[in-house]
Amino acid sequence: MHESLTQELNKAIRAIKDYPKPGIVFRDISTLLQDARAFRRSVDALVHPYIGIGLDQIAGIEARGFILGGAIAHQLTSGFVPIRKKGKLPGEKVSIAYSLEYGVDEMEMHRDAVRPGDKVLLVDDLIATGGTAEAAVKLLKEMGADVIAACFVIDLPDLGGRSKIEALGVPVRTLIEFDGD
Ligand code: AMP
């Protein structure tokens, strides 16, 4: 029987309770990545709306956004831009502070990674509160990029991330939703 993408993702994504701390259900995509068919189908589904629109760059958020973003960039014949944790990039950088549950962190991008007017798709594995993706969108826009959309395999809708990104004028696409955090 033909299995829907939702069914396949439900099986392929592993939930690990109380990681990285008590009360959090970690949605682990490593089991999805090692399942060739589920990985392929996920990338195909993420790519689909953007075929033929001439995206210049796929921006992936460290670290799981690199894996998905690299595959998406290859399939769309786009470039790939890493958005990294502070201190990892060697060249001239732009950085932005963003809030985590406790305290703040910083993410960075090479200053010459995107040009004004570049059409960019932002990619990560999961959107929760949206704080991480919001910072990435702001960084890209600061460099003059036209952020066409942000896409994720997983949405945790209870945490409200989608509306935070849509409020910046960036459409959000996700493949599956899970309750809670
Ligand atoms: P947020 O900034 O709250 O939207 O968190 C999104 C970032 O944290 C993404 O890079 C996710 O990989 C990671 N993340 C947050 N919550 C979870 C979770 N429950 N399971 C797996 N990854 C998570």
Side-chain angles (χ1 to χ4, degrees):
M1 197 186 72
H2 179 73
E3 198 174 32
S4 74
L5 179 60
T6 311
Q7 287 170 324
E8 190 156 5
L9 291 178
N10 252 315
K11 280 202 280 182
I13 296 164
R14 169 165 64 183
I16 299 180
K17 290 207 177 84
D18 299 321
Y19 183 89
K21 54 188 182 187
I24 303 287
V25 181
F26 191 84
R27 304 293 172 174
D28 178 21
I29 67 153
S30 68
T31 41
L32 182 156
L33 298 173
Q34 75 200 45
D35 176 337
R37 195 187 127 102
F39 185 18
R40 173 94 220 183
R41 273 186 97 181
S42 301
V43 172
D44 284 348
L46 290 171
V47 157
H48 191 255
Y50 312 110
I51 292 169
I53 68 165
L55 287 176
D56 297 294
Q57 301 292 341
I58 309 303
I61 299 176
E62 186 170 2
R64 292 179 291 273
F66 290 0
I67 303 162
L68 295 163
I72 291 168
H74 175 78
Q75 212 159 320
L76 290 173
T77 321
S78 304
F80 177 81
V81 170
I83 297 186
R84 299 209 65 176
K85 285 159 193 154
K86 190 179 166 62
K88 302 278 190 178
L89 290 168
E92 201 189 321
K93 293 157 291 228
V94 282
S95 66
I96 188 166
Y98 65 106
S99 308
L100 295 170
E101 206 166 344
Y102 303 107
V104 291
D105 208 344
E106 265 180 68
M107 63 172 67
E108 297 180 331
M109 188 179 86
H110 274 141
R111 184 172 282 283
D112 61 3
V114 295
R115 294 166 215 265
D118 270 359
K119 287 195 232 168
V120 177
L121 174 68
L122 180 68
V123 181
D124 202 0
D125 64 328
L126 178 147
I127 182 163
T129 66
T132 309
E134 181 185 40
V137 168
K138 287 182 175 165
L139 206 50
L140 289 164
K141 286 192 166 193
E142 201 180 302
M143 291 296 97
D146 179 7
V147 186
I148 296 294
C151 69
F152 309 83
V153 174
I154 302 161
D155 185 12
L156 304 183
D158 297 346
L159 297 180
R162 175 185 289 270
S163 53
K164 209 176 273 176
I165 306 308
E166 287 174 348
L168 299 171
V170 175
V172 173
R173 239 187 114 246
T174 61
L175 302 183
I176 190 167
E177 297 184 353
F178 293 114
D179 291 340
D181 57 359

